[in-house]
């Protein structure tokens, strides 16, 4: 549709546009100027046959002139060249058949020329398929007429027109002009199109080079971003490991009540900082599609108490009531899933509720919706009496780096990643977050999740395993730690001394390989980023040792890295498992016990 071309338009420039393909523009020009030539030719032919009294040919000429005029008007109003070409070819086919069978009742050079014009025009305008169809529709009737005339002498009741030499000359001249125009026009169009294609090819080649450079630059940028995040993760998590680890050690040393409260606040603040770091790093993993979910055993009740422990202190400091309700059916059951990601989801929801509530209460409810013996569907609900969310913002609130308003961001701070991560983590598991909220009243977030469960009863004291480590002979364990950070070394020694384990320390990967060559160990805790030789290379060297006992020693990686492919890299290096820094003492000792028992 061309807005410039009105009904009374006769200009070709108003029906052409740069958006049209070059050959389409050429076809429109062919029709536009070709109609003029055909109209003039038919007019000259009309004058010649009319004065000779050849009325059938005169009527045919008038019909063609009217048809050409109507189609010309249609073209200049709406340039639907494909439809107009078909109409013109149908008219030409019918006119050609009427001239052969009715008007002249013979075949001469004029009728042959008309057939040639139709054939050439059809192939150029409507393509090979229709060109072949129109060619057959024009040549077969002519061939059939020749056969009939040869065998039976064609005779009908209508008397044919007889044309003189002047009329033949006019017809031949007009036909030659039209044929020359058609071929000349399209030859020129094809040459220009080829030049344009060559030019486009050169431009495309330049664009391809630029695109390749842009892709290479993007890949380098992505790699640099990944390396930066990995480095930042390591540099931030390493001191956090010491802060949280020392807090754990001090809390295990029976502190006084006021000391325990201070340690709880210290640990809670460190965990909050760790949660922020994890949000940024995990969001990068989610966006890269590299995040994977585990399926390990965990105690849902213990997990919820751990999540809410630090948040209860913050809520009480703000004068808020905090209530955690866990369905009795869910207690003392062993669940299977990814407690790390589930913790991340629930922590972000509760943290938001506490952050955006100035007065009132926070209610966290964990309810059993359906118990099918070996699977349980659980509903997690976080309800607050906070500032609420405007209805128009309910969808955008789950977008990354977004909060309800700029004023909200300034007042309550935060990364704006919490709810974005919650939604994406749930979506990746085929789950949906439900939200209802009213400004000034509060918000309710909830979601359902199905877990496989074990019929075994959970041991209520999670630290029992660690405390009874001596019972399984851990104090005689020969443990090698490859770690270059002296604070972490001190922390590990103090932690392991709780279970009467005296480790051997290697300050880098090369020293760890040397210790393995000349000594015997039961298990290795391997830091990944170390000077001289990193943990990956050290693990590879150990796996190549000739002594099968040494080459198959369990190796647990200690990593503060956040790279999306860290799990794959650890596996490729031949290490058995990994523990992320800052690690939980119970998690570390449990993995040590597991691999020592297997070995």
């Amino acid at each position: 549709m061309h807005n410039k071309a009105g009904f009374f338009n006769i200009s070709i420039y108003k029906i052409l546009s740069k958006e049209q393909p070059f050959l389409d523009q050429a076809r429109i020009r062919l029709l536009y100027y070709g109609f003029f030539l055909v109209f003039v030719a038919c007019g000259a032919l009309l004058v010649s046959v009319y004065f000779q009294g050849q009325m059938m040919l005169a009527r045919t000429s008038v019909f063609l002139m009217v048809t050409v005029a109507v189609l010309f008007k249609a073209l200049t109003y709406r340039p639907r060249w494909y439809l107009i070409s078909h109409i013109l070819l149908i008219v030409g086919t019918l006119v050609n058949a009427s001239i052969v069978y009715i008007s002249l009742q013979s075949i001469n050079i004029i009728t042959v020329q008309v057939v040639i014009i139709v054939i050439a025009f059809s192939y150029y305008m409507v393509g090979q398929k229709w060109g072949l169809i129109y060619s057959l529709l024009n040549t077969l009737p002519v061939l059939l007429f020749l056969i009939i005339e040869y065998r039976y002498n064609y005779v009908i009741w209508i008397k044919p027109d007889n044309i003189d030499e002047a009329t033949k000359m006019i017809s031949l001249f007009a036909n030659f002009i039209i044929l020359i125009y058609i071929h000349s026009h399209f030859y020129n169009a094809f040459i220009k199109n080829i030049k344009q294609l060559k030019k486009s090819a050169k431009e495309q080649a330049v664009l391809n080079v630029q695109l390749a450079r842009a892709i290479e630059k993007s890949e380098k940028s992505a790699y640099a971003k990944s390396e930066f995040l990995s480095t930042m993760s390591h540099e931030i998590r390493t001191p956090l490991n010491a802060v949280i680890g020392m807090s754990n050690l001090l809390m295990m040393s029976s502190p006084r009540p006021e000391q325990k409260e201070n340690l709880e606040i210290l640990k809670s603040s460190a965990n909050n900082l760790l949660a922020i770091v994890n949000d940024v790093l995990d969001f990068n993993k989610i966006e890269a599609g590299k995040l994977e979910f585990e399926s390990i055993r965990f105690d849902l009740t213990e997990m919820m108490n751990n999540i809410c422990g630090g948040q209860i202190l913050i809520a009480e400091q703000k004068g808020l009531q905090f209530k955690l309700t866990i369905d009795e059916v869910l207690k003392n059951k062993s669940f299977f899933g990814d407690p790390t990601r589930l913790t991340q989801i629930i922590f972000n929801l509760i943290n938001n509720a506490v952050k955006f509530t100035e007065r009132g209460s926070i209610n966290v409810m964990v309810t059993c919706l359906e118990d099918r013996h070996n699977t349980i569907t659980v509903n997690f609900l976080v309800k607050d009496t906070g500032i609420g969310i405007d209805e128009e913002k309910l969808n955008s609130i789950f977008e990354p780096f977004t909060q309800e308003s700029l004023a909200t961001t300034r007042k309550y701070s935060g990364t704006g990643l919490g709810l974005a991560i919650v939604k994406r983590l749930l979506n990746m598991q085929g789950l949906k977050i439900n939200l209802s909220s009213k400004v000034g009243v509060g918000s309710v977030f909830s979601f359902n999740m199905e877990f496989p469960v074990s019929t075994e009863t959970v041991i209520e004291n999670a630290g029992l395993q660690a405390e009874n480590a001596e019972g399984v002979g851990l104090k005689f364990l020969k443990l090698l730690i490859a770690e270059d950070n002296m604070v972490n070394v001190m922390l590990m020694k103090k932690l392991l001394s709780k279970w009467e384990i005296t480790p051997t320390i290697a300050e880098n990967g090369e020293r760890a390989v040397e210790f393995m060559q000349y000594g015997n160990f039961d298990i290795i805790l391997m830091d990944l980023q170390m000077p001289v030789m990193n943990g990956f290379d050290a693990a590879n060297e150990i796996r190549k040792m000739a002594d099968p006992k040494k080459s198959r020693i369990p190796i647990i990686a200690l990593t503060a890295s956040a790279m999306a492919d860290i799990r794959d890299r650890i596996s490729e290096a031949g290490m058995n498992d990994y523990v992320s820094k800052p690690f939980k003492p119970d998690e570390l000792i449990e993995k040590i016990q597991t691999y020592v028992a297997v070995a």
Side-chain angles (χ1 to χ4, degrees), residues 99-164:
I99 291 174
V100 172
Y101 283 90
I102 299 172
S103 300
L104 298 181
Q105 297 177 26
S106 67
I107 294 175
N108 54 35
I109 191 169
I110 297 172
T111 56
V112 172
Q113 277 189 323
V114 172
V115 171
I116 293 172
I117 290 172
V118 171
I119 291 172
F121 183 82
S122 64
Y123 274 102
Y124 284 134
M125 295 301 294
V126 293
Q128 182 183 14
K129 174 185 171 184
W130 283 106
L132 178 62
I133 292 172
Y134 285 116
S135 298
L136 293 175
L137 289 175
N138 281 268
T139 55
L140 289 179
V142 172
L143 294 174
L144 181 62
F145 181 86
L146 289 173
I147 294 171
I148 294 172
E149 189 177 42
Y150 175 74
R151 296 286 299 272
Y152 307 105
N153 193 14
Y154 181 81
V155 177
I156 61 173
W157 61 272
I158 299 175
K159 183 181 177 180
D161 285 345
N162 293 315
I163 57 175
D164 61 6

Side-chain angles (χ1 to χ4, degrees), residues 265-469:
I265 294 172
L266 175 64
K267 184 180 177 182
S268 174
S269 298
N271 282 328
N272 287 341
L273 176 58
L274 179 62
I276 293 172
V277 173
N278 287 341
D279 279 351
V280 176
L281 299 172
D282 285 340
F283 184 76
N284 181 62
K285 287 184 185 178
I286 293 169
E287 291 296 285
K290 296 291 182 71
L291 191 141
E292 296 179 359
F293 292 91
E294 293 181 317
S295 181
I296 59 175
R297 185 193 298 263
F298 70 98
D299 182 350
L300 182 61
T301 302
E302 181 191 2
M303 185 196 77
M304 291 303 302
N305 285 323
N306 288 338
I307 295 172
C308 294
Q311 296 299 316
I312 289 174
L313 292 173
I314 299 172
E316 288 176 349
Q317 289 172 1
K318 295 179 70 174
L320 304 174
Q321 293 181 346
F322 192 110
K323 184 178 181 182
L324 169 62
T325 305
I326 301 176
D327 201 322
E328 289 296 327
V329 177
L330 303 176
K331 295 180 179 180
N332 299 327
K333 282 186 178 291
S334 289
F335 289 77
F336 290 91
D338 192 329
T340 301
R341 300 305 166 197
L342 183 57
T343 296
Q344 201 168 8
I345 292 168
I346 298 171
F347 175 82
N348 275 313
L349 293 178
I350 297 174
N351 183 57
N352 266 14
V354 174
K355 181 192 297 184
F356 296 111
T357 302
E358 294 296 332
R359 62 181 64 85
S361 62
I362 310 292
N363 286 312
V364 180
M365 288 176 276
V366 185
T367 310
C368 175
L369 294 182
E370 188 176 5
D371 187 350
R372 295 182 296 279
H373 186 61
N374 57 354
T375 60
I376 289 181
T377 301
V378 181
N379 173 259
F380 297 89
L381 184 143
V382 179
K383 182 179 180 180
D384 64 65
T385 58
I387 62 175
I389 305 167
D390 190 276
E391 187 175 352
E392 295 179 356
K393 302 286 186 180
L394 289 179
N395 292 323
S396 62
I397 202 72
F398 291 102
E399 294 302 314
F401 310 108
T402 300
Q403 288 188 347
E404 207 268 341
S405 67
L406 289 175
T408 302
T409 303
R410 286 193 295 268
K411 183 175 181 179
Y412 296 99
S413 70
T415 62
L417 281 176
L419 291 180
I421 290 174
V422 167
K423 185 176 181 180
R424 281 161 171 76
L425 286 175
L426 290 173
N427 285 347
M428 290 174 73
Q429 300 175 81
L431 305 175
K432 180 183 177 182
I433 181 76
N434 301 306
L435 166 61
S436 62
S437 184
K438 189 174 181 180
V439 175
V441 176
S443 304
V444 179
F445 291 85
S446 67
F447 65 92
N448 300 332
M449 186 175 288
E450 184 179 286
F451 299 94
V453 294
S454 171
T455 54
E456 298 175 8
T457 302
V458 176
I459 299 174
E460 292 189 9
N461 185 0
L464 189 61
Q465 216 175 11
E467 292 173 8
N468 290 338

Side-chain angles (χ1 to χ4, degrees), residues 161-179:
D161 285 345
N162 293 315
I163 57 175
D164 61 6
E165 291 302 318
T167 303
K168 286 183 181 179
M169 288 176 63
I170 293 171
S171 299
L172 286 172
F173 182 76
N175 287 344
F176 276 129
I177 292 296
I178 293 171
L179 272 172

Side-chain angles (χ1 to χ4, degrees), residues 516-521 541-553:
M516 279 298 299
Q517 287 173 336
Y518 301 109
N520 293 307
F521 296 93
E541 291 298 319
I542 292 170
R543 293 300 183 220
K544 293 176 184 177
M545 290 182 175
D547 187 342
K549 183 179 178 183
K550 293 183 178 183
S551 65
R552 290 199 293 266
I553 186 172

